[in-house]
Amino acid sequence: MQTTFDVPTQGAGLYEFTTNVARWVPRRDGLLTLMVQHTSASLVIQENADPEVQSDLQAFFARLVPPTTDPSMAYLQHTYEGPDDMPAHIKAAMLPVSLGIPVQNGVLRLGTWQGIYLFEHRTAPHLRRIAAFFASS
């Protein structure tokens, strides 16, 4: 089984789409694989109870890899798509772009406080596509 999930973003940040995925998985045991089809966004499993976790993660990565307008990033050459583009590629290279999630009887085997997030690294809104593949055991 395969499908895609479209996640609209309003700029940099974490966008949870766990509910959409949970509705789609079949009532069987297996492994769900998700892969974001973009080079400037990532996928992460993170805490979904306290929104400060998402804002702290975003702040950390913004500090770790600032825009190309920051003097510390003057060595970057790929700058013609905006000051957030190459830093977005770097963040996507550091974070996962695919996830494997076990499924038991149609239930995602996530922890109590875990959710599936698209981590948007660009500052402009985008429509991000995530490919999903379910293999039953």
Side-chain angles (χ1 to χ4, degrees):
M1 279 182 72
Q2 296 185 45
T3 194
T4 56
F5 297 97
D6 290 334
V7 178
T9 71
Q10 296 303 311
L14 286 95
Y15 297 85
E16 187 174 8
F17 65 106
T18 312
T19 303
N20 295 345
V21 174
R23 278 192 220 122
W24 175 76
V25 294
R27 298 284 173 226
R28 299 193 302 253
D29 294 347
L31 180 66
L32 171 67
T33 302
L34 300 171
M35 188 198 81
V36 62
Q37 297 180 310
H38 304 275
T39 60
S40 55
S42 305
L43 295 175
V44 293
I45 294 174
Q46 267 304 325
E47 178 178 327
N48 62 1
D50 185 351
E52 289 178 348
V53 172
Q54 290 96 52
S55 61
D56 285 349
L57 281 169
Q58 185 178 350
F60 171 79
F61 280 100
R63 186 174 178 181
L64 185 66
V65 189
T68 59
T69 52
D70 187 290
S72 69
M73 303 301 275
Y75 65 93
L76 294 176
Q77 297 176 22
H78 179 79
T79 59
Y80 54 88
E81 291 184 57
D84 67 326
D85 185 55
M86 189 60 216
H89 291 295
I90 293 169
K91 292 169 190 172
M94 296 171 66
L95 293 163
V97 295
S98 65
L99 300 171
I101 302 168
V103 176
Q104 184 178 31
N105 195 30
V107 177
L108 300 170
R109 299 294 297 167
L110 295 169
T112 303
W113 307 113
Q114 290 182 322
I116 306 166
Y117 291 86
L118 171 84
F119 198 161
E120 174 64 70
H121 303 304
R122 299 293 308 267
T123 57
H126 286 83
L127 181 63
R128 300 303 194 171
R129 178 157 281 179
I130 295 108
F133 175 77
F134 179 81
S136 60
S137 52

